[in-house]
Amino acid sequence: SITLRHSETLARMTGAAGIAPLGASAFRLVNVNEREGVAAYCAEAALDFGFVAPEAALADFRLVAFDMDSTLITIECVDELGALAGKKDEVAAITAAAMRGEVAFDESLRQRAALLSGLPEKALKQVYEERLRLTEGVEPLVARLKETGARTLLVSGGFTYFTERLRKRLGFDRATSNTLEIVRRRLTGHLKGEIFDATGKAAVVRETRREMGLSRDQVLAIGDGANDLAMMAEAGTSIAFHAKPLVRAKATFCLNHVGLDGVLNLFP
């Protein structure tokens, strides 16, 4: 957790003119002159940080796109379905490889769906009700976005069963994802229609941006895995949330320790 010592040390390192508290868990340094050493210090102290323009505000973003699994929620739904099928280790290993960018997402999803073949349809409800948890800070962030009038997208390589429920629960404007094929109340191990992958996620963000007549600078995208990179590239600002190294390296900002309400500290 952040301390007064942390803020004072960073103020000295950066030559800041002042320290402005942002609640109990964050602060803003005023008129920073130096950046060298900040990343290393924050990594050692397990602190999140960002160099943000003084005038930047959440209201600058008119379109905000979220990934679902391990971003908006704390779990990977497909892994939890795999657990109910007695194959969690196999499914989770494929998920991890895909999120690191080691396996093509569409192929990885086909492999994972196949491992779910024969699972009762009621397993979807069981995962949603018993295992799915919102990531800390989701609700205050979404509430603030509603106040600013931003349009919100849930763009996921996961499954419609979960995205549609979360869309309604949180009041998102749109959700797009993949649909599992179900026959006689059991998963067949196949997906219905084309796979919604990284390209699809990027296309939804791009098309929505154009429909709204927005510039890239008015778009914010938040994700954690390799299949989020194309979507994040469509946004002027991207946030890697508890993300894989490949994603952290390419994002505008990284939140590795705090909840999603950390976005509100970056952009008041």
Side-chain angles (χ1 to χ4, degrees):
S1 61
I2 203 159
T3 66
L4 179 61
R5 180 177 60 82
H6 290 138
S7 64
E8 291 176 341
T9 299
L10 285 164
R12 287 195 300 272
M13 288 176 63
T14 59
I19 303 170
L22 297 173
S25 60
F27 62 88
R28 183 178 292 263
L29 298 178
V30 181
N31 295 334
V32 167
N33 294 313
E34 298 291 337
R35 299 187 180 192
E36 187 175 353
V38 171
Y41 178 87
C42 289
E44 178 68 23
L47 300 176
D48 289 318
F49 76 98
F51 293 104
V52 186
E55 68 277 8
L58 195 68
D60 297 336
F61 303 113
R62 311 312 304 144
L63 176 64
V64 182
F66 291 81
D67 173 49
M68 180 178 70
D69 296 278
S70 297
T71 300
L72 195 71
I73 61 176
T74 62
I75 64 170
E76 293 282 338
C77 292
V78 67
D79 292 359
E80 299 305 321
L81 290 170
L84 295 178
K87 300 176 182 178
K88 182 168 185 176
D89 288 347
E90 295 173 70
V91 174
I94 300 171
T95 298
M99 293 305 99
R100 292 192 300 266
E102 297 170 1
V103 180
F105 179 81
D106 54 353
E107 179 57 30
S108 78
L109 191 60
R110 289 190 186 93
Q111 292 174 1
R112 288 175 286 172
L115 289 169
L116 304 179
S117 179
L119 192 65
E121 180 182 11
K122 64 182 181 181
L124 295 167
K125 181 179 180 181
Q126 186 176 348
V127 168
Y128 183 79
E129 293 184 348
E130 298 178 9
R131 305 189 180 198
L132 186 148
R133 297 290 181 272
L134 295 177
T135 296
E136 179 185 357
V138 165
E139 290 169 302
L141 174 57
V142 173
R144 181 75 182 106
L145 288 171
K146 289 179 181 178
E147 289 176 5
T148 67
R151 189 170 184 184
T152 49
L153 303 180
L154 177 51
V155 279
S156 171
F159 304 127
T160 303
Y161 182 94
F162 304 105
T163 56
E164 279 303 302
R165 282 160 178 76
L166 287 168
R167 179 185 64 80
K168 294 175 183 177
R169 177 175 171 181
L170 295 170
F172 274 65
D173 292 296
R174 179 180 177 183
T176 312
S177 53
N178 294 291
T179 302
L180 288 162
E181 184 181 70
I182 298 171
V183 175
R184 298 187 183 88
R185 298 188 177 181
R186 289 188 178 273
L187 279 62
T188 66
H190 300 290
L191 297 157
K192 294 176 68 175
E194 292 186 12
I195 288 181
F196 186 70
D197 58 7
T199 301
K201 295 175 81 164
V204 167
V205 173
R206 181 171 59 252
E207 290 162 9
T208 305
R209 185 187 76 223
R210 289 174 178 172
E211 287 170 8
M212 296 178 68
L214 304 177
S215 68
R216 285 180 184 268
D217 289 342
Q218 293 174 290
V219 183
L220 172 66
I222 307 172
D224 75 301
N227 68 318
D228 295 319
L229 287 172
M231 168 186 80
M232 293 164 73
E234 293 293 334
T237 301
S238 59
I239 296 176
F241 183 75
H242 294 229
K244 307 301 180 289
L246 176 66
V247 183
R248 295 200 302 267
K250 296 189 177 183
T252 313
F253 301 102
C254 299
L255 294 178
N256 300 320
H257 307 288
V258 299
L260 276 173
D261 52 347
V263 176
L264 299 175
N265 290 324
L266 289 172
F267 305 105

